[in-house]
Amino acid sequence: MVQQSTVTVTGYVGADPKMLGEGEGKVPCCVFRVASTRRYFNRKDGRWEDLPTTWMQVRTYRSLALNIKDSISRGDPVIVNGQLTSDSWKDSQGNTRTALSIEAQSVGHDLSRGVARFQRMAPSDREDGSAMRRTDAPHDAQQQNPEFEDEDQEAQF
């Protein structure tokens, strides 16, 4: 049985996302950090207080990485959903260091903090399909779904 730790984190992007592994034959990878600060209501003082900020590194691959590069920037409120991973390495003194990160399957703007416009992307003509191009896909459900072409017909949900 495979056990994977799926997490969802809300927070703010700490710096502009960075692309790694760009080039011929390489899988696009985008990394960024998210700051999440928990709050609680202090009844004694009658006000909200912040707990220490938790910083998480987020890694994305392929088309998600390319879309993040064009969509997310420093300070944006985001929701990140993905697998919790543990990264280990040796520092300059030879000590083993470990940090948690999220390998994201989905990332989006937190719409409880603002508005956004979705722009559909279509695969390019490249063989690997990693590059995407913008389409002029309509945002209106009636234009996207022929079932709704008749204005007098109501949608059955």
Side-chain angles (χ1 to χ4, degrees), residues 34-95:
V34 171
S36 182
T37 306
R38 288 182 40 206
R39 302 188 88 201
Y40 72 97
F41 187 75
N42 184 334
R43 289 185 183 185
K44 181 177 147 187
D45 296 338
R47 62 186 172 98
W48 287 94
E49 294 188 16
D50 291 339
L51 293 171
T53 299
T54 300
W55 287 90
M56 296 290 293
Q57 178 165 305
V58 178
R59 281 192 311 264
T60 63
Y61 297 97
R62 296 173 185 78
S63 62
L64 179 57
L66 296 171
N67 289 342
I68 285 174
K69 180 183 81 168
D70 292 338
S71 303
I72 304 292
S73 58
R74 180 177 186 235
D76 286 354
V78 292
I79 300 173
V80 177
N81 186 2
Q83 303 299 317
L84 189 61
T85 62
S86 177
D87 301 321
S88 296
W89 70 96
K90 298 261 187 208
D91 66 13
S92 58
Q93 289 80 33
N95 300 320

Side-chain angles (χ1 to χ4, degrees), residues 2-22:
V2 177
Q3 294 181 349
Q4 296 179 342
S5 301
T6 301
V7 295
T8 301
V9 174
T10 60
Y12 291 88
V13 177
D16 286 334
K18 295 179 187 174
M19 289 299 293
L20 307 173
E22 289 185 292

Side-chain angles (χ1 to χ4, degrees), residues 85-116:
T85 62
S86 177
D87 301 321
S88 296
W89 70 96
K90 298 261 187 208
D91 66 13
S92 58
Q93 289 80 33
N95 300 320
T96 300
R97 307 285 306 232
T98 304
L100 294 177
S101 63
I102 300 172
E103 189 172 311
Q105 278 104 28
S106 59
V107 176
H109 285 106
D110 185 348
L111 298 181
S112 70
R113 306 203 181 275
V115 297

